[in-house]
Amino acid sequence: MHTVVVGTSGVTASDVLAVARAGARVELSQEAVGALAAAREIVDALAAKPEPVYGVSTGFGALATRHISQELRAQLQRNIVRSHAAGLGPRVEREVVRALMFLRLKTVCSGHTGVRPEVAQTMADVLNAGITPVVHEYGSLGCSGDLAPLSHCALTLMGEGDAEGPDGTVRPAGELLAEHGIAPVELREKEGLALLNGTDGMLGMLVMALADLDSLYKSADITAALSLEGLLGTDKVLAPELHAIRPHPGQGASAANMLAVLKGSELTGHHQDDAPRVQDAYSVRCAPQVAGAGRDTMAHARLVAERELASAVDNPVVLPDGRVESNGNFHGAPVAYVLDFLAIAAADLASIAERRTDRLLDKNRSHGLPPFLADDAGVDSGLMIAQYTQAALVSEMKRLAVPASADSIPSSAMQEDHVSMGWSAARKLRTAVDNLTRVIAIELYAATRAIQLREGLAPAPASQAAIEAVREAGVQGPGPDRFLAPDLAAADAFVRAGHLVTAVERVTGPLA
């Protein structure tokens, strides 16, 4: 099994995906163990002094003015975990919780948190045992980090609360730890706070969304090209020299992808045949501009994620010169903004895909295709309601595009009076990515049927490869009406697994 070694300088997106989705093992580097021990010596020295230090010998948040005596500090650290584990609602997905825990471990291993090496090792042991804390949908405001979600994870380290075992059964965390020979941690000064105070949930969801969107944007370029073929459009608008004079990198990449898919097609260039068109509709002609803008948004989001993956997010932090300082680095604004940006871009990509699908189904705009791509229009309804489904998905994505980060609600007796709502931005982005997959799948279903209805004209070799692959996956071609939901589900699974991109790239080579 692949092993990810966590050091002091952060982790990569591929590390997060390996642990969260592929179950990779986690190990601490010797460098990290040394840094953990050195930082802990500083915290222990401060804890022995009479002067109050936030997070070490004081309360938290609005209660930070109280100095806590030494005999109450272990109780203080236990209590912050128990009281902050206040989430409600549905359980969060296993991959999100694993990313959350792994990214918290990443910051702990930076040597800036003051956590003992044995606590970090327990975090790695829980991940390696396949134990997943039960984390709930609601509870994070994205400031002071993802407090409630991280608290539920810390509760498991203490042997309290519920967790899911490697067999998928939810049981008391203490039982699961005992079965795997893991001793519950007994938290000391600052450790409870250090386990709760980070942007790890929203960052983990950002990393996974970027991985999913990378495949989906390639898929969207492919379905846009297929729709162009189905509509007998022109590929002249994809010429590199046209995109060079507006040099947005994403736009150029999308146009190049579409051109690669369309190479060798007999279906393009018929826009001036029987019903002459000077230009194709915007949803066809401007596909690279819309998808390209989304790609550039992803590039910015990836830069933010890389910076955050290299960060140590905690409050207070232990500095190399021995100071322990309060700060605001836990604020989720940088991550929250790009999560919202991506939801906006995804909604627009879905919107333009739906417009192409609708055009394929409308006999007044499809340039010779039967109404709704039906076998016997009137007796058959064809893909009429598939487009309804797509439209409903797009409409929801528009609602999900309303930015969570534009909202702020004060908490902790006005101490935390401006919050990022980054966790909420991440949760709605996950739904948006799911819906975008379905929208692209429906365009794929319509476009491949349309191409097959253009008898006598051969599609591009890459398009033909896509058609053959999707048919082999159980998505049926043109014909009389049938139970449509299984076809749509098969198309969704085909796109979601990346099979569309794989089929096309066998012909075109790697797409951008």
Side-chain angles (χ1 to χ4, degrees):
M1 181 181 290
H2 178 61
T3 298
V4 173
V5 179
V6 184
T8 60
S9 57
V11 297
T12 66
S14 61
D15 291 335
V16 177
L17 295 170
V19 173
R21 289 183 163 171
R25 289 187 57 79
V26 178
E27 291 182 3
L28 311 185
S29 72
Q30 287 304 308
E31 175 196 30
V33 173
L36 284 159
R40 186 65 208 180
E41 288 181 6
I42 294 170
V43 171
D44 285 342
L46 289 171
K49 292 183 177 180
E51 297 85 8
V53 177
Y54 177 69
V56 176
S57 53
T58 71
F60 310 112
L63 304 177
T65 54
R66 178 177 171 182
H67 183 258
I68 308 298
S69 60
Q70 287 193 355
E71 63 271 14
L72 293 176
R73 289 176 190 171
Q75 182 181 341
L76 170 69
Q77 299 302 319
R78 288 194 300 272
N79 284 352
I80 190 175
V81 173
R82 290 167 175 164
S83 65
H84 285 45
L88 277 177
R91 283 180 57 195
V92 172
E93 304 86 354
R94 183 176 186 270
E95 66 177 14
V96 173
V97 179
R98 286 184 62 81
L100 176 73
M101 294 177 66
F102 175 67
L103 287 169
R104 194 69 223 139
L105 177 60
K106 173 266 298 183
T107 282
V108 165
C109 287
S110 70
H112 291 295
T113 67
V115 168
R116 288 169 294 151
E118 51 263 46
V119 176
Q121 185 59 55
T122 301
M123 296 172 76
D125 291 343
V126 169
L127 283 166
N128 293 338
I131 298 171
T132 307
V134 170
V135 174
H136 299 280
E137 181 87 17
Y138 301 105
S140 175
L141 299 179
C143 203
S144 284
D146 292 317
L147 285 173
L150 283 163
S151 297
H152 283 275
C153 293
L155 202 64
T156 294
L157 299 178
M158 292 166 48
E160 300 181 17
D162 292 327
E164 179 185 296
D167 63 353
T169 303
V170 175
R171 296 166 53 197
E175 292 181 10
L176 289 167
L177 294 185
E179 282 185 7
H180 289 84
I182 302 172
V185 297
E186 295 184 11
L187 299 175
R188 289 171 46 180
E189 291 94 344
K190 195 183 179 300
E191 290 180 335
L193 184 61
L195 292 176
L196 315 185
N197 211 333
T199 57
D200 309 292
M202 64 183 90
L203 175 58
M205 286 185 275
L206 172 60
V207 169
M208 289 186 283
L210 284 168
D212 294 337
L213 287 168
D214 184 64
S215 176
L216 285 174
Y217 269 82
K218 292 176 185 176
S219 297
D221 290 340
I222 294 167
T223 57
L226 294 171
S227 290
L228 186 150
E229 281 189 293
L231 291 166
L232 301 178
T234 177
D235 60 355
K236 289 184 177 180
V237 296
L238 304 173
E241 58 269 26
L242 294 175
H243 298 278
I245 61 175
R246 195 191 191 195
H248 293 288
Q251 176 180 324
S254 285
N257 283 349
M258 289 181 66
L259 205 56
V261 174
L262 293 169
K263 185 177 180 181
S265 175
E266 295 179 4
L267 288 159
T268 59
H270 296 276
H271 59 294
Q272 293 185 334
D273 288 353
D274 297 333
R277 283 169 278 159
V278 176
Q279 302 174 114
D280 288 319
Y282 282 13
S283 60
V284 178
R285 186 170 17 128
C286 302
Q289 285 76 11
V290 172
R295 285 169 168 270
D296 291 342
T297 300
M298 285 173 59
H300 172 60
R302 194 169 286 112
L303 176 62
V304 171
E306 288 169 357
R307 290 170 176 164
E308 199 75 359
L309 288 167
S311 300
V313 179
D314 193 18
N315 180 49
V317 292
V318 181
L319 296 174
D321 60 8
R323 287 179 295 146
V324 175
E325 297 286 1
S326 292
N327 67 93
N329 284 343
F330 50 74
H331 199 288
V335 182
Y337 290 168
V338 294
L339 288 163
D340 280 332
F341 295 165
L342 289 173
I344 292 168
D348 202 33
L349 187 64
S351 178
I352 197 170
E354 183 275 331
R355 287 294 80 207
R356 289 191 295 264
T357 304
D358 184 63
R359 184 166 288 271
L360 287 165
L361 271 54
D362 183 354
K363 70 180 182 65
N364 296 310
R365 295 179 292 140
S366 67
H367 311 289
L369 291 169
F372 303 105
L373 306 181
D375 187 63
D376 184 4
V379 174
D380 294 315
S381 294
L383 306 190
M384 179 191 295
I385 308 304
Q387 186 268 329
Y388 282 34
T389 300
Q390 194 184 43
L393 290 163
V394 170
S395 186
E396 182 182 32
M397 290 182 69
K398 291 174 182 176
R399 294 190 295 272
L400 292 168
V402 176
S405 58
D407 184 29
S408 177
I409 189 165
S411 58
S412 192
M414 295 298 286
Q415 176 71 6
E416 297 170 10
D417 59 351
H418 185 276
V419 297
S420 77
M421 303 306 296
W423 173 273
S424 298
R427 296 305 295 166
K428 69 184 183 65
L429 177 60
R430 283 180 70 82
T431 304
V433 170
D434 258 357
N435 285 355
L436 177 60
T437 308
R438 298 176 179 118
V439 168
I440 291 171
I442 293 173
E443 183 182 15
L444 173 66
Y445 190 35
T448 53
R449 180 182 281 210
I451 289 171
Q452 288 188 290
L453 289 170
R454 298 289 190 185
E455 295 179 357
L457 294 171
S463 302
Q464 184 61 38
I467 293 168
E468 290 173 0
V470 78
R471 296 291 174 258
E472 289 173 7
V475 182
Q476 298 183 51
D481 280 357
R482 56 183 170 266
F483 181 23
L484 211 54
D487 272 8
L488 299 182
D492 175 37
F494 183 76
V495 173
R496 194 173 297 273
H499 295 328
L500 175 61
V501 175
T502 299
V504 168
E505 287 187 332
R506 290 195 184 106
V507 177
T508 64
L511 296 175

